Amino acid sequence: MKRGCFLSLEGGEGVGKTTNLTFIADFLRRHGIEVVITREPGGVPLAETLRELILDEAGLQPEAELLLIFAGRVQHVRDKILPTLERGQWVVCDRFVDASYAYQGGGRGVSRHRIEYLENWLVAGCRPDLTFLLDAPVEVGLRRARARGDTNRFEEETVAFLERVRQSYLERWRREPRRICRIDASRPLAEVQEAIAAKLSRLVETWRK
Ligand code: TMP
């Protein structure tokens, strides 16, 4: 059985992740691929419970936030992501480890080395094959996120925090341009999805060979 591909979708607040996640899953299913959609923080019951704390608990220390995220992540990876990939199905995950480098690293100032340590210890062997980074100026995304209402702790952060998040994502893209595909999410949705579809087509073709 050929292992499935692991895709993640990243970006700041309000960049259109949800719409594009559905687009990606529909595109792959139309091409005959079995897809499991999941998300972080969350994806399995324990991690969904932790998600509520992570998004809403006032006064969480950055390190506590990071550890809760990784506690959920190790459970998610072992109980769901890896078994799904082993069955030959694809996994499309709404955020993964890159988000920890961007939010807890860039945003909250936790050292990259500490995050690398947790990644290597807990989820080595589970790297996305492809990551879409939906990138848009902070003000554009924030306006969209706040217009939706019912904001979480991250959407209520300062512009400076979210700017650091954006710059950290861009730094990761520059370091790993083969894995991370940056998409300019301030363009019209049709153009965004055209770019995503082109990249996916190539990946599906390579996977089938
Ligand atoms: P969502 O709104 O995209 O579902 O994500 C929930 C929030 O969780 C988002 O604002 C970013 C944050 N987050 C982190 O801070 N670190 C992480 O590792 C992950 C996966 C998410």
Side-chain angles (χ1 to χ4, degrees), residues 13 17 40-41 51 55 69 73 95 99-100 103-104 154:
E13 305 304 321
K17 274 190 305 100
E40 289 213 338
R51 178 185 173 95
L55 296 194
I69 288 168
R73 180 167 289 143
R95 299 192 187 281
S100 300
Y103 282 82
Q104 282 65 52
F154 295 94

Side-chain angles (χ1 to χ4, degrees), residues 9-14 17-18 39-42 51 54-55 65-66 69-70 73 94-104 108 148 152-155 161-162 165 169:
L9 193 55
E10 299 278 1
E13 305 304 321
K17 274 190 305 100
T18 310
R39 68 171 180 181
E40 289 213 338
R51 178 185 173 95
I54 294 160
L55 296 194
E65 186 177 270
L66 177 70
I69 288 168
F70 266 93
R73 180 167 289 143
D94 184 349
R95 299 192 187 281
F96 194 61
V97 173
D98 293 302
S100 300
Y101 288 97
Y103 282 82
Q104 282 65 52
R108 305 254 190 252
R148 282 197 307 250
N152 65 39
R153 289 199 308 123
F154 295 94
E155 290 157 340
F161 173 94
L162 295 167
V165 169
Y169 270 133

Side-chain angles (χ1 to χ4, degrees), residues 40-85:
E40 289 213 338
V44 289
L46 172 82
E48 288 290 335
T49 303
L50 293 175
R51 178 185 173 95
E52 289 174 25
L53 278 174
I54 294 160
L55 296 194
D56 297 325
E57 182 76 16
L60 262 190
Q61 294 294 333
E63 294 82 358
E65 186 177 270
L66 177 70
L67 292 171
L68 287 175
I69 288 168
F70 266 93
R73 180 167 289 143
V74 68
Q75 202 72 33
H76 185 208
V77 163
R78 293 189 195 164
D79 288 357
K80 185 168 182 182
I81 298 179
L82 291 176
T84 304
L85 296 173

Side-chain angles (χ1 to χ4, degrees), residues 132-197:
F132 286 109
L133 171 59
L134 298 175
D135 178 53
V138 166
E139 302 76 39
V140 174
L142 211 48
R143 221 177 302 130
R144 284 194 215 153
R146 289 184 179 158
R148 282 197 307 250
D150 193 24
T151 49
N152 65 39
R153 289 199 308 123
F154 295 94
E155 290 157 340
E156 286 158 13
E157 274 293 347
T158 60
V159 170
F161 173 94
L162 295 167
E163 189 58 50
R164 291 198 299 279
V165 169
R166 182 181 186 206
Q167 293 310 322
S168 306
Y169 270 133
L170 290 173
E171 192 188 310
R172 291 188 68 72
W173 163 62
R174 285 189 203 101
R175 277 169 178 247
E176 289 187 74
R178 286 176 65 85
R179 173 178 67 87
I180 302 180
C181 172
R182 176 187 170 271
I183 306 269
D184 177 356
S186 58
R187 287 183 301 170
L189 184 61
E191 285 179 32
V192 167
Q193 296 190 336
E194 207 175 296
I196 292 176

